[in-house]
């Protein structure tokens, strides 16, 4: 079972679906709707410094917020940032891969899912 823990639907298209089209249905294989509560990459602010008068917050990333524990036979679609942060410890995290773009270049889906390692 694959659960979507991003805040938006994941549209999976056939491998030959061309980019540059606004038709959301052409080549659509599956839509994985998001769960009510998305998983996020937690942020811990450490301190603020200034560079050329611009405030820059030093932050620590790496904790997950809203990510369920592993469950047998379950994979979770999450943001790339979250999957990369947890890749060494979690092999159940998937991300959209081989994006499909519309006429204006906006990502509308993907052709596959990937597991960062």
């Amino acid at each position: 079972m694959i659960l979507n823990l991003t805040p938006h639907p994941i549209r999976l298209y056939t491998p030959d679906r061309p980019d540059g089209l606004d038709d959301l249905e052409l080549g659509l294989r599956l839509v994985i709707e998001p769960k009510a509560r998305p998983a996020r990459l937690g942020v811990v602010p450490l301190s603020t410094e200034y560079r050329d008068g611009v405030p820059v917050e030093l932050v620590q990333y790496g904790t997950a917020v809203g990510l369920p524990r592993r469950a047998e036979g379950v994979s979770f679609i999450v943001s790339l940032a979250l999957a990369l942060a947890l890749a060494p410890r979690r092999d159940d995290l998937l991300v959209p891969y081989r994006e499909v773009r519309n006429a204006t270049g906006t990502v509308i889906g993907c052709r596959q899912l990937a597991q960062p390692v």
Side-chain angles (χ1 to χ4, degrees):
M1 173 188 312
I2 298 175
L3 300 177
N4 179 3
L5 299 183
T6 72
H8 51 273
I10 300 296
R11 291 180 181 86
L12 285 164
Y13 288 94
T14 57
D16 60 346
R17 202 299 188 171
D19 284 322
L21 304 175
D22 290 326
D23 182 355
L24 294 178
E25 300 300 319
L26 182 65
L28 184 64
R29 293 174 47 196
L30 175 68
V31 177
I32 304 173
E33 295 294 336
K35 294 297 175 189
R37 187 175 144 184
R40 303 274 187 201
L41 184 60
V43 179
V44 177
L46 302 174
S47 64
T48 304
E49 61 182 49
Y50 289 85
R51 298 181 191 172
D52 295 331
V54 176
V56 176
E57 189 72 23
L58 300 178
V59 297
Q60 182 178 36
Y61 291 98
T63 60
V65 177
L67 182 63
R69 293 178 188 243
R70 291 177 199 232
E72 185 67 32
V74 178
S75 296
F76 302 102
I77 302 172
V78 297
S79 70
L80 179 58
L82 179 56
L84 290 174
L86 298 180
R89 297 171 287 193
R90 298 281 299 252
D91 62 0
D92 58 342
L93 304 181
L94 304 173
V95 297
Y97 181 63
R98 297 187 60 225
E99 291 83 4
V100 174
R101 297 179 183 274
N102 68 10
T104 62
T106 302
V107 174
I108 59 169
C110 61
R111 295 174 180 89
Q112 291 177 263
L113 297 174
Q115 177 189 325
V117 292

